[in-house]
Amino acid sequence: MERAYNFDTVSQYNAFNNHETLHPLVSIIDFSKANKRTGSRMTFGLYCIFLKEVHCGDLKYGCNYYDYEEGTLVFISPGQVLDVENKVDFYQPIGHALVFHPDLIKGTALAKTLDEYSFFSYNTNEALHLSKKERKIVFDCFSKIENELSHSVDKHSKRLIASNIELFLNYCERFYDRQFITREHINKGILERFEEALNSYFASEKPYSIGLPSVAYFADELNLSSNYFGDLIKKETGKSAQEYIQNKIIDIAKNKIFDGSKTINEIAYELGFRYPQHFSRLFKQRVGYTPNEYRNLN
């Protein structure tokens, strides 16, 4: 039977991995100190960034699986549940992790920007694959935090630790930008599938039954998290996924407007708008003319 664990405090996770708690809200974990274990289900109330050096089973988040191999970083935020599946034999975990409680950063500059690090909401096929040079930078960042933890806690500790975590996350953001470029062939395939899914959506009855499609809808169709999908589309096209969808809507709308047998209201409903005035407003914003004005011009 699969074992289940809840980790709401840093000390709980330290104990699970045979680590001394040097600070109640943050820890650098060396998994080689942990006891051998089998696959398990873990619920986190913490922020965790894992760098594993050994394959330890299929890492499942929600209904999907991480693209999780040796030398990859995985980002977990509070409330997420991870399953390590297909690992019934005992194994020795090897690698490192940065773990911190949300309370650590309250009142710091990082608290204001943490939501901007969208990779905490990435899930399937979205782990960060590190080069050797990047792994060295990760270890350097971990070492700086660990060095701070070796000092007695004083009035500077919180700010210095939070600043070093922010530095680490900024590097991760740079590494992800690099990965979007180096895995461009994969990204191109996703963009093509997105375009196909858009065309299929508007050629079906879904605009009537579902309405206007959302970014989350297409992310789910492509088995990606909304944040990763949005970031990928932005990197590939220079437009947000929402803008890309709206461009498709306007492009289809222009063709439909040339069909004089349909009213503007009918076209709006065909595209999935619940209220025709919302369609007219979007069209005017994007084209510079109302649908009727555009029809008369052309």
Side-chain angles (χ1 to χ4, degrees):
M1 183 177 176
E2 183 185 51
R3 301 192 66 178
Y5 299 92
N6 292 313
F7 300 113
D8 293 316
T9 67
V10 168
S11 60
Q12 287 173 339
Y13 197 62
N14 280 339
F16 179 67
N17 291 289
N18 290 333
H19 264 266
E20 179 185 359
T21 298
L22 301 176
H23 190 291
L25 298 178
V26 59
S27 184
I28 298 292
I29 303 292
D30 179 353
F31 288 110
S32 66
K33 296 179 181 180
N35 294 328
K36 290 184 177 181
R37 62 182 65 157
T38 59
S40 59
R41 176 184 173 88
M42 294 172 281
T43 303
F44 290 89
L46 311 166
Y47 288 97
C48 305
I49 301 96
F50 300 112
L51 175 60
K52 292 289 186 68
E53 301 298 319
V54 63
H55 186 71
C56 59
D58 298 325
L59 196 63
K60 185 178 181 184
Y61 166 55
C63 298
N64 299 307
Y65 291 87
Y66 272 107
D67 181 7
Y68 189 49
E69 304 164 355
E70 295 179 23
T72 57
L73 278 178
V74 173
F75 300 82
I76 306 299
S77 57
Q80 290 187 343
V81 178
L82 287 183
D83 280 339
V84 178
E85 296 186 338
N86 301 329
K87 199 69 176 178
V88 295
D89 297 329
F90 279 86
Y91 68 94
Q92 176 61 56
I94 300 174
H96 294 77
L98 164 63
V99 183
F100 63 95
H101 193 279
D103 287 351
L104 174 74
I105 63 170
K106 291 190 183 303
T108 69
L110 179 57
K112 300 176 183 178
T113 60
L114 190 62
D115 288 344
E116 297 175 11
Y117 299 102
S118 53
F119 42 73
F120 274 110
S121 297
Y122 291 176
N123 53 29
T124 179
N125 298 324
E126 301 161 358
L128 177 57
H129 301 259
L130 300 173
S131 67
K132 288 184 178 180
K133 184 178 180 180
E134 289 167 349
R135 287 170 69 181
K136 183 180 183 302
I137 292 173
V138 168
F139 283 123
D140 286 345
C141 290
F142 283 5
S143 179
K144 286 183 174 68
I145 296 169
E146 199 166 27
N147 182 60
E148 186 57 38
L149 293 178
S150 68
H151 292 284
S152 299
V153 177
D154 59 26
K155 66 180 183 179
H156 303 288
S157 299
K158 182 175 181 176
R159 180 169 56 84
L160 288 170
I161 293 170
S163 294
N164 278 302
I165 292 175
E166 184 172 17
L167 175 65
F168 166 65
L169 296 178
N170 286 337
Y171 273 118
C172 291
E173 201 163 41
R174 169 186 279 179
F175 299 158
Y176 258 117
D177 281 348
R178 183 271 310 157
Q179 180 164 295
F180 279 123
I181 296 171
T182 56
R183 305 188 110 196
E184 188 175 7
H185 64 290
I186 297 174
N187 299 343
K188 289 294 185 185
I190 292 172
L191 185 58
E192 289 171 3
R193 288 165 56 205
F194 177 33
E195 182 69 25
E196 289 172 2
L198 270 169
N199 290 332
S200 176
Y201 188 94
F202 287 107
S204 71
E205 295 298 313
K206 289 179 180 177
Y208 287 108
S209 59
I210 299 175
L212 291 171
S214 65
V215 173
Y217 172 87
F218 287 111
D220 189 59
E221 285 287 296
L222 298 172
N223 293 319
L224 298 170
S225 66
S226 293
N227 278 348
Y228 186 89
F229 174 65
D231 289 347
L232 186 152
I233 297 302
K234 182 72 171 179
K235 294 289 192 306
E236 285 296 310
T237 68
K239 301 180 180 66
S240 70
Q242 184 63 34
E243 287 176 313
Y244 198 95
I245 292 170
Q246 289 180 350
N247 284 348
K248 173 61 69 173
I249 292 170
I250 296 301
D251 188 52
I252 295 172
K254 286 179 177 179
N255 286 326
K256 287 181 177 291
I257 286 171
F258 284 120
D259 183 354
S261 66
K262 295 180 180 179
T263 67
I264 299 303
N265 284 4
E266 287 173 333
I267 293 171
Y269 293 130
E270 285 182 4
L271 291 169
F273 286 88
R274 184 176 298 179
Y275 304 106
Q277 60 267 35
H278 291 173
F279 165 59
S280 296
R281 186 182 306 129
L282 175 66
F283 196 91
K284 177 70 180 290
Q285 288 173 347
R286 303 302 294 271
V287 180
Y289 299 99
T290 67
N292 274 320
E293 288 171 343
Y294 185 80
R295 172 174 276 174
N296 292 332
L297 283 172
N298 293 276

